[in-house]
Amino acid sequence: MLRELDDIWERAQDAIKTAKSLQEIEAARVRFLGRKGELTQILRKMGSLSVEERPLVGQRANELKERFERALADRTAVLREQAISSRLEAEAIDVTLPGYPVMVGHRHPLNLIRAEIEEIFLGLGFSTAEGPEVELDYYNFEALNLPKDHPARDMQDTFFISDEILLRTHTSPVQVRTLERLAPDLPVKVIAAGKVYRRDDDATHCPMFHQVEGLAVDTDIRFSDLKGVLLAFAREMFGANTRMRFRPSYFPFTEPSAEVDISCFNCGGEGCRICKDTGWLEILGAGMVHPRVLAVSGYDPEKCRGFAFGMGIERIAMLKYGIRDMRLFFDNDLRFLSQF
Ligand code: PHE
């Protein structure tokens, strides 16, 4: 029986050594140690042995069983290792391959220009103010010295929501709201940027567009302050050689009023396509705040005065970037937007 045990051990070692997969190892375990396994059979037959033989065979059988189990475990570990590394090889990741490009977004050109404008005025000591886009007739017109039947309302033919509520046609109502909020404190120095709405729609006018409003009120504000502030702005925005001209104009909420042009940054005033051969580019409307606007907002026009201006952000952006059609800003075409 000892001989038989040795033969089994030979075969078991062989089976383990030649096993090439975890399945084959398991098959080998069953073949020798399973319920009907070769070694199990021997152990079962122990009862038929003599009293002298039994301890000898028993000891040997147990020893072999232990060795077999150890060999089995070792081989299993090796095979498992191999299985893992061959899988890793098959699914290998080449970290040197180029990655997928990630699209990085950026700000809309109008927001870039708006930020640039705000930055310049913040540097001049202005702070920012805000007002609603859905506005009361009172702030959009009435308090700005445009009573109900005033003909100047026609210039801004409007989206009305009810008789007294409309989409604001300019950012000027923020002047009144700001003065009401701050009265009677001085000085007032704010800019207010945002969306405005008018019944316009062509290559250079959109029903929704953006303006930046400026307002400064103090005891001794003069027209020359307005000129100085606007010139400083224009030179920051369009270049240090920029010149400026004021043309008399009319707004019910400023007196006197002016339309402001800058010398063409493209040709320097010689005349070109951008300035339509005039040498000048119109960029904003401005003037000294009308005493009535100050009065309805809680300020005494005898004791203070101010200037105000309003400019279109699209217009500034179109000039700066040489864009001919305003509608491009709102088409959301990435071929256009990704150029900025
Ligand atoms: N609100 C005027 C417009 O939209 C511009 C303006 C603002 C003019 C402030 C004078 C003072 O046309």
Side-chain angles (χ1 to χ4, degrees):
M1 206 173 253
L2 282 174
R3 162 101 36 81
E4 219 176 305
L5 276 175
D6 284 341
D7 287 348
I8 290 177
W9 175 235
E10 286 295 314
R11 287 200 298 279
Q13 272 182 309
D14 225 49
I16 290 175
K17 236 183 274 161
T18 56
K20 285 191 187 60
S21 67
L22 292 168
Q23 285 95 316
E24 282 175 34
I25 273 288
E26 174 61 10
R29 190 191 65 78
V30 172
R31 180 172 153 208
F32 294 98
L33 287 182
R35 242 188 319 147
K36 288 181 190 149
E38 294 188 32
L39 197 56
T40 317
Q41 301 286 343
I42 295 282
L43 291 168
R44 277 217 193 106
K45 278 192 266 173
M46 294 266 287
S48 62
L49 292 175
S50 67
V51 192
E52 296 84 47
E53 273 179 315
R54 212 179 291 166
L56 271 176
V57 174
Q59 203 191 347
R60 186 108 182 95
N62 278 327
E63 211 181 283
L64 285 188
K65 193 180 165 198
E66 253 171 54
R67 276 208 245 161
F68 181 71
E69 279 170 343
R70 228 180 296 130
L72 211 57
D74 288 351
R75 185 74 187 141
T76 303
V78 169
L79 286 173
R80 198 166 275 155
E81 190 74 21
Q82 277 174 8
I84 290 174
S85 52
S86 71
R87 241 188 92 180
L88 279 179
E89 224 165 272
E91 297 170 11
I93 295 167
D94 181 351
V95 294
T96 66
L97 282 174
Y100 293 106
V102 178
M103 293 263 278
V104 179
H106 61 81
R107 283 201 273 184
H108 189 277
L110 290 179
N111 282 329
L112 290 172
I113 292 287
R114 170 183 171 160
E116 216 175 303
I117 296 171
E118 285 177 340
E119 201 63 41
I120 294 171
F121 284 105
L122 290 182
L124 291 170
F126 287 73
S127 48
T128 55
E130 264 184 287
E133 289 169 28
V134 179
E135 184 55 286
L136 291 172
D137 181 286
Y138 174 77
Y139 289 109
N140 195 80
F141 290 132
E142 234 20 88
L144 290 170
N145 202 25
L146 277 132
K148 283 253 174 347
D149 53 0
H150 199 291
R153 282 193 179 206
D154 290 349
M155 293 196 298
Q156 308 188 357
D157 206 355
T158 313
F159 297 106
F160 273 88
I161 287 164
S162 71
D163 282 352
E164 298 302 331
I165 300 171
L166 47 81
L167 298 183
R168 69 179 178 190
T169 62
H170 50 181
T171 41
S172 298
V174 186
Q175 287 187 36
V176 182
R177 287 182 174 275
T178 303
L179 292 173
E180 277 186 356
R181 179 166 55 85
L182 298 179
D185 292 350
L186 290 172
V188 175
K189 270 179 100 179
V190 294
I191 50 164
K195 289 185 168 61
V196 301
Y197 303 82
R198 285 185 203 178
R199 243 193 60 190
D200 279 333
D201 202 3
D202 60 41
T204 53
H205 296 87
C206 283
M208 184 278 299
F209 62 105
H210 299 78
Q211 285 189 333
V212 179
E213 191 83 8
L215 171 70
V217 179
D218 206 348
T219 50
D220 191 25
I221 295 258
R222 304 158 187 231
F223 200 87
S224 54
D225 294 316
L226 171 63
K227 289 183 110 172
V229 164
L230 289 180
L231 189 61
F233 161 75
R235 291 194 165 155
E236 273 295 318
M237 197 74 193
F238 295 104
N241 295 325
T242 308
R243 284 166 294 123
M244 193 165 241
R245 96 179 163 181
F246 285 64
R247 286 178 288 114
S249 186
Y250 172 73
F251 300 102
F253 38 93
T254 47
E255 184 62 35
S257 303
E259 215 92 51
V260 179
D261 303 339
I262 55 165
S263 55
C264 180
F265 57 84
N266 187 50
C267 62
E270 306 258 298
C272 69
R273 186 180 58 76
I274 291 185
C275 59
K276 296 196 185 101
D277 285 326
T278 63
W280 295 98
L281 300 164
E282 184 189 324
I283 59 161
L284 54 86
M288 300 305 288
V289 179
H290 197 289
R292 274 197 214 144
V293 176
L294 291 171
V296 298
S297 314
Y299 283 85
D300 182 349
E302 300 294 331
K303 297 204 177 108
C304 63
R305 47 206 174 152
F307 66 71
F309 57 85
M311 65 182 108
I313 297 180
E314 280 79 358
R315 200 171 156 65
I316 306 271
M318 287 170 82
L319 290 175
K320 231 188 137 150
Y321 295 134
I323 296 163
R324 282 203 242 178
D325 193 331
M326 191 183 284
R327 291 168 292 203
L328 286 168
F329 287 123
F330 309 114
D331 284 345
N332 280 339
D333 187 332
L334 283 178
R335 288 170 301 181
F336 172 75
L337 295 176
S338 56
Q339 295 178 62
F340 300 94

